[in-house]
Amino acid sequence: MPAWILQFGLAGVFAVAFLDAAPIPLPIPGSTDILILILGVHGESPWLLAPTAIAGSLLGAWFTWSAGKKGGEAMIERYMPKRFRSRIERWIKSHGVLSVCLAALLPPPIPLLPFLLAAGAMGVTRRQLFISVGIARTLRYGGEAALALIYGRHILRWFNHYLAGWSSVILYTFIGLLVAAIAFGIWKYRHDRRGAKAPSRTAAATS
């Protein structure tokens, strides 16, 4: 097992879970799930792994929900693909808490970001957000920590057999994708802010 994965520890689990639900998502879907399994296999307490991941995910979800609440419909149009927009908006209007809960519970490729943005823009309260995401992440991350505890040896044997020789490649690829995702997120945020300011300046000049 490559030592660099084990260096993440609980702080790494919190950070990865936060980014996984934040407006700048991780480049590799399911990174939190993988990290929980690997650390659980190597003896990290599931009673610490699951709550740490849940706390990080709740914080990231709150940031995304806040961005949707402040940005409103414009934020939805900016970050949500058009082909999914009407369907997600309809789900949030009809079953806001349940929709967010299912999106946070189901594994990739189900995206969480659009549901969190829509929840903030369409009136899902902060209390409802924490309840729905908290329940979903408890079931998901708690189940994964339990799996690591029960089937740890089998998972470790599979990893060492198939992926151990690729540990360095996996590491540098992940770091490169992560840096690229963060850089793109920062660029898009600044670009969108400039785009939002331009119409207001034009309207002020004409008036």
Side-chain angles (χ1 to χ4, degrees):
M1 176 65 62
W4 59 265
I5 294 182
L6 305 180
Q7 299 303 316
F8 277 95
L10 294 175
V13 171
F14 181 88
V16 171
F18 169 79
L19 290 174
D20 200 22
I24 304 176
L26 287 170
I28 301 178
S31 298
T32 308
D33 310 280
I34 296 171
L35 193 55
I36 289 174
L37 287 172
I38 292 176
L39 291 175
V41 165
H42 280 77
E44 192 71 65
S45 171
W47 303 106
L48 295 177
L49 275 174
T52 300
I54 293 166
S57 186
L58 284 173
L59 183 60
W62 176 77
F63 270 97
T64 306
W65 171 86
S66 298
K69 185 177 180 63
K70 293 177 182 178
E73 294 291 334
M75 183 65 70
I76 296 178
E77 295 177 1
R78 198 174 300 162
Y79 287 95
M80 194 180 299
K82 291 183 178 179
R83 63 183 183 276
F84 299 133
R85 190 182 305 158
S86 59
R87 186 180 305 175
I88 292 178
E89 288 179 345
R90 186 170 63 251
W91 287 345
I92 293 294
K93 287 180 180 178
S94 303
H95 310 286
V97 174
L98 180 60
S99 299
V100 175
C101 186
L102 289 176
L105 176 63
L106 296 176
I110 301 300
L112 178 59
L113 177 65
F115 286 90
L116 294 176
L117 288 174
M122 301 177 67
V124 173
T125 66
R126 182 173 56 186
R127 182 173 179 272
Q128 291 174 328
L129 171 80
F130 284 149
I131 290 175
S132 58
V133 175
I135 291 174
R137 292 311 204 194
T138 297
L139 293 174
R140 178 170 166 177
Y141 294 153
E144 290 165 355
L147 285 176
L149 183 64
I150 298 171
Y151 299 104
R153 293 182 180 179
H154 299 287
I155 296 173
L156 179 61
R157 190 180 301 115
W158 179 88
F159 189 95
N160 286 332
H161 181 72
Y162 290 103
L163 297 179
W166 295 87
S167 60
S168 296
V169 176
I170 295 171
L171 169 63
Y172 294 123
T173 301
F174 179 82
I175 292 176
L177 290 172
L178 180 60
V179 171
I182 293 174
F184 175 77
I186 294 173
W187 172 84
K188 185 170 179 58
Y189 174 76
R190 293 180 175 177
H191 178 268
D192 292 338
R193 288 197 64 182
R194 288 196 298 266
K197 290 178 180 179
S200 61
R201 290 176 181 173
T202 303
T206 55
S207 61

